[in-house]
Amino acid sequence: MDSAKEKNDLCKDDLLLRVGLNDNKAGMEGLDKEKINKIILQATKGSRFYGNELRKEKQVNQRIETMMRQKAHITSQQLRNAQSQVNRVAMELEQSRDLSNTIVHVDMDAFYAAVEMRDNPELKDRPIAVGSMSMLSTSNYHARRFGVRAAMPGFIAKRLCPHLIIVPPNFDKYRAVSSEVKEILAEYDPDFMAVSLDEAYLNITKHLQERQTWPEDKRKYFLKTENFLENEKPGADVNNQEQWSALQRAVSPLLFEDSPPDWQPSGNSTQVNCEGQNNSPLLPNTVVFGTSAEEVVKEIRFRIEQKTTLTASAGIAPNTMLAKICSDKKKPNGQHQILPDRQAVMDFIKDLPIRKVSGIGKVTEKMLGALGIVTCTELYQQRALLSLLFSETSWHYFLHVSLGLGSTHLTRTFSEINKAEEQYRLCQELCTELAEDMQKEGLKGRTVTVKLKNVNFEVKTRASTVSSVVSTAEAIFAVARELLRTEIDAAFPHPLRLRLMGVRLSGFSSEDDKKHHQRSIIGFLQAGDPNTGSVPEKTDKDRLLKPLETSQKKSFFDKKRSERKWTHEDTFKCDTSDKQSLPISHPCQVLKKRMRENSETPEDSDDRQIFTCPVCFKKQGHISLGAFNKHIDACLDGPSTSENSRMFSYSHTSCVEVGNREQRSFSLCENHNHEASRENTEINSVDCDDLVEITSHPSETGLHNLNNERNTEECSDLARKSLNTEHHHPLSACTISLGSQGVGPLSEQQPLQPHLNEITKQALVCPVCNLEQTSSDLTLFNGHVDVCLNKGFIQELRKEEVSLAKQPKDGTKRTGNSDRTHKTVTKTKRPGLMAKNSASKKMQENHPRNTLDVFFK
DNA sequence: GCGGATCAC
DNA sequence: TATGGTGATCCGC
C-alpha cells in the first residue's frame, strides 16, 4: 500500500514545509493544493501533535546543521581520497551487477477502499476512506482529489471532504481477498514474498524459463462474467455476447478515472497477446498471454482482476528496489518494466527523486536535500562526500541506490551454522521443545530422527530406534546427539554446513490407547476395529502401498493414516537403519489428551465442561467426558443419524513457516488464536455427511502432499489450490523459526471446533486455520478443512524443525522489515485509547480478530 | 545493551 | 473529541 510515503508527505503538508506529491489535479469537485494545506494547517495548528512535529523538525534541522559543519571541515585531499575509495567500491558493485533475475512487485490499488467499494455498490461513486475518525488506512481516488490520504486522521479528512464516507476496516475480508491474490501469485513464484496484505514481490525468472516452452493453451484464459469459484483454467465457456456485456460491467469497477487501465477488455474476441504468437484463431472472450515478462505480469493482473474484481499495479525490474518504484509509476491499474539492461536501469534512475526509493524517508530526503541532492544522479555525484558524512552502511546503501542496485533474490536466506558446538546446542534446544510437547501430549516414542538440510539444500534424515520409549529432553537428545555426531564426523575434516535442523520422535506408545473403547467421539476416530481402536498391524508390504492403491472401503482416517505412513516411509526408507515399523499415533490420542487437558484446567478442575454434541449440535452443559460420550452414543443410535455419519475431529497445528516476512502479516493461527483456544473450553465436533465426500476420494485432491513448510494461511491457500489445480507439494515438515513469537506450544492447540454447521447456516470458517473461506462451495470447503486436518496429522508425527538464524540478505536494505532475527517488543502508548485504535493496520494484520465468534454466532 | 530515530506497512 | 501500532535496523551513548 502506498500509505507510508503518503504519510510522510502528509507530515510535510501539516507543517506546510512543502507539498510534495499531493498531486491532485484541482478537478471540478476536488480541492487545490493551497486550499488543502490551509484546511490541514487550520485543523492541526496548536495541537500537541503539531507541537511534536515541530519538535521533531527542529531536531532534524539540528542534525543537518551538524552535518553541514562537518562538511565545512572536509579538505579537498580528504575528498579525493574518499573519491578513490568510493570508486573502488562502486566498481566492485558494478562488476557484481546481476541483471539475470526478473523481479515483480505487485501492489493492489487502494486495496481496502477498493474492496469496500466492490462489496458495496453504493460507495462506488463516492469519496470513501477506510479507517476511523482518528486514522485512515486508505482512501479511494475520488477522495484523494480532496487531499484525503492514508495516514490522515479521519476528522481532518472530513473537513477536507465533508461528504467523505469513512468505512470501518474489515481486515478479515481483506485477508480473504489477499489470499485469493496470493493463490495466483504462488503459481508464478511459490516463494513469493508478501510484504503486506496488498503487496508482494515475485521472482518470476524460473517461471519465465519454463513458460517459453508452454503451448498456447497453457497461457489462454477465459473471461469470466462472474467472480466466483476459482477455477482459473480455461474451461468455463462464456462466449456469448450477453455474458460478455455482463463481464464488462462486472470487471474494472470505476475506481479510477484519471488514468485508464493499460489492459482493457475490448470487443468480442479479446486478444491480449502482444507478441503475435497466436496462429490459431481465438474463441470469443478468450485471452492468450505471451511469454515475455510483461505478458506474464499482464496475465497476473488479469487473473487478479478476474478473480477479485480488483485491480493491481505492478513493476518489473532486475531487482526489488527498482520493481517497487516501477509499480508506483503507472499506478493505478498499470505496470512498468525496466529491461534487464544496464543502460535501461541508468536511464530510469537518472532523474528519479531519491524520495521514491524505499528506505529513503522524509528525514533522509531532507538531509540529502541540504547537500543539494534530490535525484539519484546527484546522489551518485556526491558519493565521495556522502562517504565522509554518513556511516558506512548508509553510504553503501546510497551507492547501491544511485547505481540502481537492489536485492535480486527473494528466497529466504539463512545464515548457516557450521560450528559443531552450535549444532549440538541447537539440537538440544529442539529436543527440549520436543520433549515438552511430548510430555504435554502424554506421548512417548522410540524412534528419534534428526533431519538436516545443508547449505546446498540437500536433506538427510537419520533415525535411530531405541529399545525403550523416551520422552524427556535428555533421553531424546542422547539419541539425537549421536545421530548428529555421526554426520559431523562423516563430514570431517570439513565442517557440516547446515541451514536447517529438525528433530522428530515417532514410534509412539501410550498407555491411554486402550481406554475409551466406547462408541464415542474417540471411538469414531480410532483406526481399524472400532471396538478396540487399535491399528491393525501391517506388513512391510502393506506399508509400501501408495495411498491411492489402498482400499476404497477404508475409512477416511484409515486412508489418512496410510497416506501419512506412506509419505513417512518414503522419507525414511533410504536412510533408516532400523526397519521397524513406525506406529502411528491416533488422532484420538491427541483428542483424548486434549480433552483430558481441558478437563484438567484450573477453571474446570471438576472434570466437567460444556461440550457441544456433534450429532444434535446441542450444548451439553457441564457434564463429564464420559457422560458426554454417552450422550453422543444415544444421539448416534437415534433416528437422526445416517450410517455414513462420521465424527469429525482435528488437531490444530501451530505450523509456522520459515522466517519469511510473510509471517508478519499472515500468521493467523498464532498467539491470538492460541489465546482464543484457551478461553474457549467448548469441545465441538460435527456430524458431517459432507465429509463422506472427502472420504471417498481424499487422494484425488492431492491433499496428502501438503506442503507443511508454510504458514497456516498459506496452507489454507494451498488447500484450495490443490483442490483446483492438483498442484503437488512434497511433504515437508512443520517448521518453526527460531525467535518467532508465533509458535505456540502444542498444548495450546485449539479445542475441537465445528467443521461446518449446515443446520444453522453459519459462515464457512475453517475450524483449523480459522480462516473464513471465500467459496461457498461445500466440497471446496471440506477439502480445505481436509488439508488443514491433514496438517494436523503431520503434526502428530512431531516433525519439528528449526530453521537456522537468519541474516539480512545483503547490505542494500538499511531499514524496513527484514527477516527477523529477534523480536522487538514495543510497549503500547496511551493505554486508555487502545480500543479506539480500530484503524490500526498492522495491529489488525498481526493479530487478526478471531473468527471463532463469527462461527459460533 | 539499550533507547531513540527512522522507515515501512 | 480526535494524529496508529508494530517491527526492524541503525546509531549513539
Side-chain angles (χ1 to χ4, degrees):
Chain A
M1 193 163 290
D2 33 26
S3 61
K5 293 277 180 187
E6 282 176 16
K7 178 181 181 172
N8 291 326
D9 294 333
L10 277 167
C11 292
K12 281 184 297 190
D13 288 353
D14 293 346
L15 297 172
L16 283 188
L17 294 175
R18 179 164 14 119
V19 183
L21 303 171
N22 214 345
D23 54 359
N24 65 302
K25 288 174 184 154
M28 277 183 276
E29 30 175 2
L31 297 174
D32 59 38
K33 288 181 204 169
E34 216 174 300
K35 234 176 198 166
I36 290 170
N37 290 327
K38 200 176 159 192
I39 294 172
I40 292 174
L41 186 62
Q42 221 166 21
T44 199
K45 215 162 64 177
S47 68
R48 293 176 180 210
F49 174 83
Y50 185 67
N52 191 47
E53 288 299 305
L54 287 178
R55 181 190 63 81
K56 286 196 289 188
E57 196 205 351
K58 219 178 250 175
Q59 209 173 308
V60 171
N61 286 339
Q62 232 157 23
R63 269 182 78 184
I64 291 174
E65 271 177 42
T66 311
M67 180 181 74
M68 297 309 274
R69 273 199 301 272
Q70 274 183 302
K71 184 187 172 229
H73 286 114
I74 292 171
T75 64
S76 53
Q77 182 59 42
Q78 281 176 317
L79 204 58
R80 273 197 298 277
N81 291 346
Q83 186 80 47
S84 59
Q85 195 207 344
V86 174
N87 284 349
R88 267 200 306 275
V89 178
M91 270 240 294
E92 284 167 27
L93 288 177
E94 191 56 64
Q95 274 166 3
S96 62
R97 186 190 290 271
D98 181 1
L99 296 166
S100 65
N101 285 279
T102 309
I103 308 292
V104 176
H105 182 250
V106 177
D107 194 343
M108 300 296 291
D109 299 319
F111 185 51
Y112 301 166
V115 172
E116 297 301 336
M117 287 162 78
R118 180 194 70 172
D119 296 349
N120 185 355
E122 284 180 18
L123 301 176
K124 241 171 207 176
D125 305 317
R126 308 173 68 173
I128 73 155
V130 175
S132 68
M133 281 301 255
S134 301
M135 186 55 59
L136 302 179
S137 292
T138 191
S139 57
N140 68 358
Y141 283 70
H142 195 64
R144 287 182 198 188
R145 284 210 292 257
F146 294 86
V148 175
R149 299 294 183 106
M152 174 183 277
F155 70 93
I156 291 181
K158 275 278 194 187
R159 292 194 196 179
L160 288 168
C161 177
H163 301 303
L164 181 74
I165 298 170
I166 297 178
V167 184
N170 186 345
F171 287 95
D172 289 334
K173 194 156 76 178
Y174 311 145
R175 252 192 306 278
V177 181
S178 181
S179 359
E180 288 188 295
V181 174
K182 281 166 48 186
E183 280 176 24
I184 295 170
L185 301 184
E187 288 185 43
Y188 298 85
D189 176 11
D191 295 320
F192 77 95
M193 186 171 75
V195 183
S196 62
L197 288 183
D198 71 327
E199 236 180 90
Y201 289 100
L202 291 83
N203 186 337
I204 60 165
T205 314
K206 207 175 149 202
H207 170 86
L208 276 170
Q209 274 170 7
E210 290 165 5
R211 193 182 176 92
Q212 302 310 310
T213 62
W214 282 14
E216 193 182 290
D217 259 11
K218 252 181 136 173
R219 297 178 270 114
K220 189 194 293 182
Y221 290 88
F222 284 71
L223 295 163
K224 285 185 297 188
T225 51
E226 284 171 272
N227 182 39
F228 58 99
L229 279 193
E230 53 256 71
N231 189 357
E232 290 294 331
K233 298 279 178 258
D237 193 356
V238 288
N239 57 5
N240 69 58
Q241 195 57 48
E242 205 175 308
Q243 284 177 309
W244 171 242
S245 311
L247 168 79
Q248 285 187 309
R249 285 193 301 273
V251 292
S252 295
L254 286 174
L255 287 173
F256 322 110
E257 291 130 28
D258 7 358
S259 87
D262 68 354
W263 175 81
Q264 231 165 7
S266 58
N268 289 332
S269 175
T270 309
Q271 186 168 338
V272 175
N273 188 339
C274 305
E275 301 185 334
Q277 300 192 12
N278 304 337
N279 18 36
S280 60
L282 279 173
L283 288 169
N285 307 334
T286 59
V287 189
V288 174
F289 293 91
T291 54
S292 66
E294 196 189 349
E295 288 289 307
V296 170
V297 173
K298 278 183 183 172
E299 181 181 298
I300 291 172
R301 292 175 44 235
F302 167 80
R303 293 180 63 187
I304 290 174
E305 186 171 345
Q306 287 279 291
K307 192 170 187 173
T308 66
T309 333
L310 301 171
T311 61
S313 298
I316 312 162
N319 63 55
T320 54
M321 183 203 79
L322 295 171
K324 166 109 176 135
I325 300 168
C326 280
S327 71
D328 194 53
K329 201 170 165 78
K330 299 277 174 64
K331 197 177 273 192
N333 198 15
Q335 63 184 67
H336 183 79
Q337 178 175 22
I338 299 175
L339 291 168
D341 166 72
R342 187 185 180 275
Q343 196 52 51
V345 171
M346 297 320 280
D347 287 348
F348 182 85
I349 282 291
K350 199 168 149 264
D351 298 320
L352 186 77
I354 49 166
R355 185 66 174 81
K356 291 275 181 188
V357 178
S358 176
I360 295 183
K362 187 178 63 158
V363 175
T364 312
E365 179 193 34
K366 198 175 175 186
M367 291 190 73
L368 293 175
L371 298 169
I373 298 168
V374 177
T375 67
C376 287
T377 300
E378 289 155 354
L379 192 67
Y380 183 72
Q381 286 166 347
Q382 298 295 327
R383 60 195 181 282
L385 179 63
L386 293 174
S387 77
L388 294 169
L389 295 175
F390 288 85
S391 70
E392 189 174 285
T393 30
S394 290
W395 72 257
H396 274 207
Y397 168 72
F398 293 145
L399 197 57
H400 272 90
V401 170
S402 62
L403 290 169
L405 300 169
S407 292
T408 55
H409 55 280
L410 310 174
T411 48
R412 308 149 188 171
T413 46
F414 307 104
S415 63
E416 66 177 76
I417 289 189
N418 51 34
K419 293 198 178 79
E421 187 192 326
E422 283 175 26
Q423 290 166 349
Y424 284 123
R425 201 183 318 137
L426 178 64
C427 183
Q428 189 164 22
E429 276 176 41
L430 288 170
C431 291
T432 306
E433 274 185 47
L434 183 56
E436 280 169 15
D437 293 339
M438 290 295 112
Q439 273 151 25
K440 278 170 189 161
E441 298 292 338
L443 292 168
K444 296 180 175 185
R446 289 176 58 221
T447 304
V448 177
T449 306
V450 173
K451 180 175 174 175
L452 305 171
K453 189 189 272 183
N454 67 18
V455 288
N456 297 321
F457 295 85
E458 293 156 350
V459 180
K460 280 182 185 173
T461 51
R462 294 290 178 262
S464 177
T465 301
V466 291
S467 50
S468 56
V469 290
V470 291
S471 67
T472 63
E474 293 75 17
I476 298 171
F477 181 56
V479 182
R481 185 180 50 208
E482 290 315 303
L483 292 169
L484 180 58
R485 189 195 306 280
T486 309
E487 291 310 302
I488 291 172
D489 289 348
F492 190 81
H494 302 290
L496 192 61
R497 302 179 62 192
L498 297 180
R499 55 179 287 144
L500 191 137
M501 184 188 292
V503 179
R504 177 192 316 166
L505 190 63
S506 54
F508 297 146
S509 82
S510 167
E511 68 275 12
D512 295 329
D513 280 359
K514 294 175 186 76
K515 292 180 192 168
H516 298 291
H517 292 166
Q518 54 192 304
R519 194 169 156 216
S520 64
I521 259 187
I522 292 154
F524 267 96
L525 295 168
Q526 286 172 328
D529 184 348
N531 295 316
T532 65
S534 66
V535 185
E537 278 293 304
K538 286 195 170 79
T539 63
D540 280 348
K541 197 183 163 194
D542 285 334
R543 279 189 282 113
L544 287 170
L545 285 174
K546 283 190 178 182
L548 272 170
E549 296 160 358
T550 54
S551 163
Q552 290 297 309
K553 285 181 184 171
K554 280 183 180 173
S555 76
F556 168 69
F557 289 107
D558 275 337
K559 284 182 193 163
K560 289 292 169 205
R561 282 187 198 90
S562 314
E563 290 162 20
R564 188 183 53 187
K565 210 159 191 175
W566 169 251
T567 342
H568 190 65
E569 182 70 28
D570 216 28
T571 51
F572 274 74
K573 60 188 174 190
C574 301
D575 52 26
T576 314
S577 53
D578 192 313
K579 291 285 180 198
Q580 291 193 44
S581 72
L582 299 156
I584 309 295
S585 80
H586 303 193
C588 59
Q589 286 178 320
V590 177
L591 166 64
K592 186 165 39 133
K593 290 289 170 192
R594 193 149 302 124
M595 283 179 159
R596 201 178 53 207
E597 264 176 36
N598 281 335
S599 64
E600 281 168 6
T601 53
E603 307 87 358
D604 235 337
S605 51
D606 62 346
D607 198 26
R608 280 155 193 271
Q609 43 185 298
I610 300 169
F611 298 117
T612 299
C613 173
V615 185
C616 67
F617 286 105
K618 284 178 185 153
K619 282 191 180 171
Q620 306 300 308
H622 291 93
I623 58 172
S624 69
L625 179 57
F628 177 52
N629 280 332
K630 276 183 192 155
H631 165 89
I632 297 172
D633 285 348
C635 268
L636 285 168
D637 290 334
S640 67
T641 328
S642 82
E643 252 199 352
N644 281 334
S645 295
R646 286 291 181 272
M647 287 301 171
F648 172 80
S649 167
Y650 72 92
S651 59
H652 173 69
T653 83
S654 49
C655 172
V656 174
E657 77 154 1
V658 274
N660 187 312
R661 295 172 194 201
E662 182 87 359
Q663 190 178 324
R664 221 182 70 242
S665 320
F666 292 95
S667 46
L668 287 186
C669 292
E670 297 182 11
N671 295 348
H672 194 83
N673 288 344
H674 289 305
E675 271 169 37
S677 71
R678 277 195 294 274
E679 287 159 18
N680 189 344
T681 52
E682 269 186 46
I683 292 201
N684 294 285
S685 186
V686 67
D687 164 43
C688 216
D689 284 332
D690 296 299
L691 257 184
V692 175
E693 207 174 330
I694 303 170
T695 311
S696 62
H697 49 81
S699 50
E700 284 168 23
T701 59
L703 300 178
H704 54 282
N705 274 336
L706 175 74
N707 182 343
N708 217 9
E709 197 166 334
R710 288 172 163 265
N711 76 11
T712 319
E713 186 179 347
E714 283 195 327
C715 287
S716 66
D717 288 348
L718 280 169
R720 287 188 291 271
K721 186 172 157 184
S722 54
L723 277 167
N724 293 315
T725 64
E726 295 182 324
H727 199 93
H728 290 265
H729 291 269
L731 175 78
S732 60
C734 178
T735 303
I736 297 174
S737 63
L738 261 186
S740 159
Q741 59 172 348
V743 185
L746 290 167
S747 64
E748 294 178 19
Q749 288 170 351
Q750 287 183 300
L752 301 168
Q753 308 296 348
H755 172 195
L756 172 66
N757 194 337
E758 260 294 71
I759 295 170
T760 50
K761 295 284 179 201
Q762 285 161 337
L764 293 180
V765 177
C766 171
V768 185
C769 69
N770 249 353
L771 280 174
E772 188 165 344
Q773 299 306 296
T774 48
S775 167
S776 58
D777 184 291
L778 288 183
T779 312
L780 283 180
F781 176 72
N782 280 328
H784 163 84
V785 178
D786 191 10
V787 173
C788 282
L789 179 68
N790 199 345
K791 201 172 60 196
F793 275 59
I794 295 161
Q795 179 79 48
E796 281 169 50
L797 277 172
R798 299 294 169 237
K799 290 172 75 170
E800 308 229 341
E801 296 172 12
V802 169
S803 58
L804 306 186
K806 291 148 282 179
Q807 66 184 5
K809 295 174 180 76
D810 54 38
T812 62
K813 193 138 182 91
R814 292 158 64 244
T815 59
N817 310 297
S818 301
D819 289 342
R820 182 185 300 172
T821 53
H822 67 279
K823 181 175 147 41
T824 308
V825 181
T826 309
K827 292 282 172 245
T828 309
K829 302 170 268 180
R830 309 194 317 150
L833 290 175
M834 277 298 284
K836 284 183 74 177
N837 298 333
S838 54
S840 166
K841 183 175 160 192
K842 276 299 157 198
M843 186 181 72
Q844 293 289 344
E845 286 190 13
N846 288 327
H847 303 286
R849 198 176 61 80
N850 197 318
T851 49
L852 284 179
D853 48 353
V854 176
F855 191 79
F856 288 116
K857 186 172 65 188

